[in-house]
Amino acid sequence: MEKKAKRVRMLTLAFGIALLPPIWAVAAPYMGVSVGAVALICAGLYVTNGNQRKDAFKITAGFLAGDVWAVLAVWIMETLSFDPNIELYVTLFVMGGAAVLIAETFPSVFFTPAWLCGWAIGLTVMAPVKVADLGTLPIQIAAAMAAGVFYVGVGVDAFQKFLIRRIEK
């Protein structure tokens, strides 16, 4: 790729990142989403997968499965009455293995890295909260995950490609 084309790609990407994700950051709380930054993490995984739109739905399905997995893990660990370290290890062992087995059995439905990443995101946000106090938090996380893939990931990619086409004319 020539130097000018690289510069155009860099500048259009910088502009897209500077313009679109901050709109989500400002709008998310007005939509009842207190964990808007989750979208940026999820967009990062989408981009790492090569901005492949064909994978957007299975990446999102993976994130959403991870979110459900996190709620289930928090509930399991809250319900068990063993040493907390043993509960954590056994829960992560069983659920981590199960997530990989399920996602890899249905690769057209789930993107395994997104499931594991979504689970980690969900656990990070929800672990300090009692299950009875989660309220809409899992739904907020799910909304931010979907926004990360479709609005930030697909949106910035489409916007950048649009700008590049306009500049190259």
Side-chain angles (χ1 to χ4, degrees), residues 9-123:
R9 285 184 44 77
M10 176 189 65
L11 292 174
T12 55
L13 178 60
F15 183 62
I17 293 293
L19 179 68
L20 297 177
I23 293 170
W24 166 255
V26 171
Y30 292 102
M31 296 186 297
V33 177
S34 64
V35 291
V38 165
L40 301 177
I41 300 167
C42 296
L45 186 66
Y46 172 81
V47 171
T48 300
N49 189 51
N51 287 321
Q52 296 186 43
R53 290 186 194 166
K54 67 179 177 61
D55 291 341
F57 285 104
K58 71 180 189 175
I59 289 171
T60 303
F63 281 132
L64 299 179
D67 189 32
V68 169
W69 228 232
V71 172
L72 186 58
V74 169
W75 177 79
I76 288 169
M77 290 185 288
E78 189 176 303
T79 303
L80 295 175
S81 57
F82 302 113
D83 177 272
N85 290 323
I86 293 172
E87 290 175 9
L88 178 63
Y89 180 82
V90 170
T91 301
L92 295 179
F93 179 93
V94 171
M95 293 185 76
V100 170
L101 292 173
I102 295 166
E104 290 296 315
T105 300
F106 303 101
S108 63
V109 178
F110 301 108
F111 186 59
T112 304
W115 188 325
L116 298 174
C117 185
W119 186 30
I121 291 166
L123 283 175

